[in-house]
């Protein structure tokens, strides 16, 4: 399968440029997907360079490259530190993470990521995992549902959403995307329906895949693994993940709490390379709609 069919990488050159590739360096791509970013990294590495690319989705394995410098790691990137230890890597020269859901996932009707298709309420990035969107909707109590829609979807009517879901499932289980849309569509006005449904599906996807917990663990590992002078390049697609990345870069912690040493210097492990986020230009946004919400942050590991 061609990479361009599976997934079109966002801000390809800007992201890889941000890594400031050293020919003999060791790098990690946290989200292999179609392999677009990984291929570009390999094109800039010399014969002694090394790239480790992570992906928990078995579909991504179709895009693996035959290159002695490349190692595919079928795992969630939250286990970055463990896998680097397994491969004997003590330090990395750079880490790239494209946090968005690939176009492949949105277009795969049987995966349940999009409200455009009929099908099962799955949403698992890793199909070996147990928790599905169907289980979340049919087993979480009303309070827990309201919380996840408020936190991960930033939906103002999260309590009403949770209430109608529980009312419906008490009569009959919510098993398919069609069932789910039948329950929640009446809560949204026609003018904002698509945007609101996207937020609902985003919230469920984040919960099913434990995305925020995984991001926290990966960022923590990045602060420990990237060598002084090494780079971190992260593409985010919604405010929740962008806030975490920004806080870690600016303050070294997830809360954004500024801590200073005796001399008043901010104790942060990174220095922002681009103080203003990089976003795709109009041409890229037109050619690749997925890129429209993308923000790129690049940081350098301090001494």
């Amino acid at each position: 399968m061609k990479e361009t069919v599976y997934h079109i990488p966002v801000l390809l050159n800007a992201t890889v440029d941000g890594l400031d590739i050293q020919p003999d360096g060791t790098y990690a791509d946290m989200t292999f997907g179609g392999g677009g970013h990984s291929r570009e990294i390999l094109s800039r590495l010399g014969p002694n360079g090394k790239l480790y690319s992570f992906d928990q989705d078995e579909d991504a394995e179709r895009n693996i490259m035959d290159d002695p410098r490349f190692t595919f790691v079928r795992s969630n990137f939250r286990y970055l530190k463990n896998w680097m230890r397994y491969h004997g890597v003590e330090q990395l020269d750079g880490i790239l993470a494209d946090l968005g859901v690939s176009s492949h996932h949105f277009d795969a009707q049987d995966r349940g990521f999009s409200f455009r298709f009929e099908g099962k309420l799955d949403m698992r990035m890793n199909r070996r995992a147990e928790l599905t969107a169907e289980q979340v909707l049919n087993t979480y109590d009303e309070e827990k549902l309201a919380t996840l829609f408020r936190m991960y979807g930033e939906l103002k009517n999260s309590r009403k959403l949770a209430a109608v879901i529980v009312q419906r499932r008490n009569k009959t289980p919510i098993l398919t995307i069609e069932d789910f849309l039948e329950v929640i569509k009446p809560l949204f006005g026609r003018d904002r329906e698509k945007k609101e449904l996207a937020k609902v599906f985003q919230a469920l996807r984040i919960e099913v895949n434990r995305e925020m917990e995984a991001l926290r663990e990966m960022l923590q590992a990045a602060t420990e693994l990237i060598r002084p002078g090494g780079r971190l390049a992260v593409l985010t697609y919604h405010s929740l993940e962008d806030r975490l990345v920004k806080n870690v870069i600016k303050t070294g912690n997830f809360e954004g709490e500024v801590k200073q040493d005796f001399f008043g210097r901010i104790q942060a492990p990174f220095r922002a390379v681009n103080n203003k986020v990089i976003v795709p230009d109009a041409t890229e946004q037109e050619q690749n709609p997925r890129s429209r919400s993308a923000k790129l942050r690049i940081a350098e590991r301090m001494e």
Side-chain angles (χ1 to χ4, degrees):
M1 179 180 288
K2 293 182 180 179
E3 186 274 325
T4 51
V5 174
Y6 184 98
H7 177 67
I8 302 171
V10 173
L11 285 168
L12 176 61
N13 289 319
T15 305
V16 180
D17 286 348
L19 288 177
D20 190 26
I21 300 292
Q22 305 303 304
D24 293 340
T26 301
Y27 295 86
D29 181 351
M30 297 294 90
T31 44
F32 178 67
H37 287 118
S38 284
R39 285 189 180 86
E40 185 61 29
I41 292 171
L42 286 169
S43 75
R44 304 186 191 194
L45 284 176
N48 296 318
K50 189 67 181 172
L51 173 64
Y52 296 88
S53 293
F54 285 67
D55 208 299
Q56 60 185 328
D57 188 351
E58 62 188 13
D59 288 355
E61 294 186 42
R62 304 174 194 170
N63 306 306
I64 291 175
M65 295 86 74
D66 183 14
D67 190 311
R69 303 168 299 169
F70 174 79
T71 299
F72 180 79
V73 182
R74 186 179 175 186
S75 173
N76 189 305
F77 60 52
R78 72 190 307 166
Y79 303 115
L80 168 64
K81 192 174 179 180
N82 293 348
W83 279 104
M84 291 300 93
R85 187 185 298 122
Y86 173 79
H87 286 289
V89 177
E90 294 183 1
Q91 285 192 315
L92 290 165
D93 293 281
I95 290 174
L96 183 154
D98 180 352
L99 302 178
V101 179
S102 75
S103 46
H104 164 75
H105 288 124
F106 281 129
D107 292 339
Q109 298 188 28
D110 63 330
R111 302 296 294 271
F113 287 98
S114 175
F115 54 83
R116 293 179 293 134
F117 305 117
E118 298 178 354
K120 294 180 180 179
L121 286 158
D122 193 322
M123 297 195 192
R124 290 173 298 171
M125 296 286 192
N126 177 2
R127 287 193 275 197
R128 296 170 295 174
E130 293 183 6
L131 187 66
T132 65
E134 178 193 319
Q135 289 174 303
V136 169
L137 291 171
N138 287 287
T139 64
Y140 278 25
D141 64 36
E142 189 171 323
E143 186 65 32
K144 196 171 181 180
L145 283 171
T147 298
L148 81 87
F149 287 128
R150 184 180 70 253
M151 286 181 58
Y152 299 150
E154 299 180 294
L155 287 146
K156 295 178 181 178
N157 62 345
S158 58
R159 289 195 172 278
K160 181 63 177 175
L161 261 173
V164 298
I165 289 167
V166 171
Q167 288 169 12
R168 164 62 187 267
R169 78 185 192 200
N170 285 341
K171 298 175 183 176
T172 178
I174 301 169
L175 302 178
T176 65
I177 293 172
E178 303 97 295
D179 293 342
F180 188 40
L181 292 179
E182 183 184 314
V183 175
I184 65 173
K185 265 191 173 183
L187 299 183
F188 305 120
R190 283 275 185 181
D191 55 330
R192 289 189 54 82
E193 184 179 88
K194 286 186 177 179
K195 286 188 176 181
E196 297 300 301
L197 288 177
K199 289 180 180 179
V200 172
F201 274 62
Q202 171 185 291
L204 279 173
R205 190 200 77 228
I206 290 173
E207 176 67 17
V208 167
N209 296 288
R210 303 286 193 254
E211 291 180 29
M212 300 312 293
E213 295 97 320
L215 178 56
R216 285 171 181 264
E217 290 180 36
M218 184 274 285
L219 289 172
Q220 181 59 47
T223 65
E224 299 171 27
L225 286 167
I226 297 176
R227 66 164 179 80
R231 294 288 184 90
L232 172 69
V234 186
L235 278 161
T236 65
Y237 295 83
H238 58 76
S239 60
L240 299 173
E241 57 193 17
D242 187 59
R243 194 177 303 129
L244 277 186
V245 175
K246 179 177 68 174
N247 286 346
V248 166
I249 290 173
K250 286 191 172 183
T251 67
N253 58 71
F254 300 121
E255 295 74 32
E257 181 182 342
V258 176
K259 297 179 181 179
Q260 298 177 324
D261 64 14
F262 180 77
F263 300 100
R265 293 172 299 202
I266 296 175
Q267 294 179 295
F270 293 102
R271 174 189 68 84
V273 173
N274 58 319
N275 290 315
K276 187 177 181 181
V277 293
I278 299 169
V279 297
D281 60 24
T283 301
E284 180 170 0
Q285 291 186 40
E286 182 66 30
Q287 293 174 348
N288 184 7
R290 176 181 168 272
S291 72
R292 289 171 187 167
S293 59
K295 292 180 179 179
L296 172 61
R297 293 186 185 274
I298 302 165
E300 182 176 299
R301 186 71 165 88
M302 302 290 282
E303 296 288 343

